Amino acid sequence: MSDFVFVKSSYSASGGECVEVADNIVGTVAIRDSKTGPSPILRVTPTAWRTFHTTLQADNANRSHRT
């Protein structure tokens, strides 16, 4: 098994919801919750991760236009 190099989300700086993502392994993006210690790792394809990330960005943009 390869070693993932996780990076904490910039949105996790407040210390609350801590998400870490690793994309250093070809063909896999790994996601984990850093505040639960050695938590389980969710593995997705890079395509699935891009789709998820793009959808979140669009949702956030839509929310900011509604206020």
Side-chain angles (χ1 to χ4, degrees), residues 10-25:
S10 60
Y11 289 99
S12 296
S14 65
E17 300 165 357
C18 301
V19 174
E20 295 181 325
V21 177
D23 63 358
N24 63 303
I25 305 297

Side-chain angles (χ1 to χ4, degrees), residues 57-67:
Q57 287 179 322
D59 186 55
N60 284 337
N62 288 336
R63 287 177 189 215
S64 67
H65 287 107
R66 286 187 229 154
T67 56

Side-chain angles (χ1 to χ4, degrees), residues 6-67:
F6 285 94
V7 176
K8 188 178 286 194
S9 166
S10 60
Y11 289 99
S12 296
S14 65
E17 300 165 357
C18 301
V19 174
E20 295 181 325
V21 177
D23 63 358
N24 63 303
I25 305 297
V26 176
T28 302
V29 176
I31 306 145
R32 71 179 181 187
D33 181 353
S34 65
K35 66 185 179 302
T36 59
S39 63
I41 298 171
L42 173 65
R43 293 172 180 87
V44 297
T45 66
T47 301
W49 177 250
R50 280 190 300 273
T51 300
F52 174 72
H53 191 257
T54 301
T55 301
L56 285 179
Q57 287 179 322
D59 186 55
N60 284 337
N62 288 336
R63 287 177 189 215
S64 67
H65 287 107
R66 286 187 229 154
T67 56

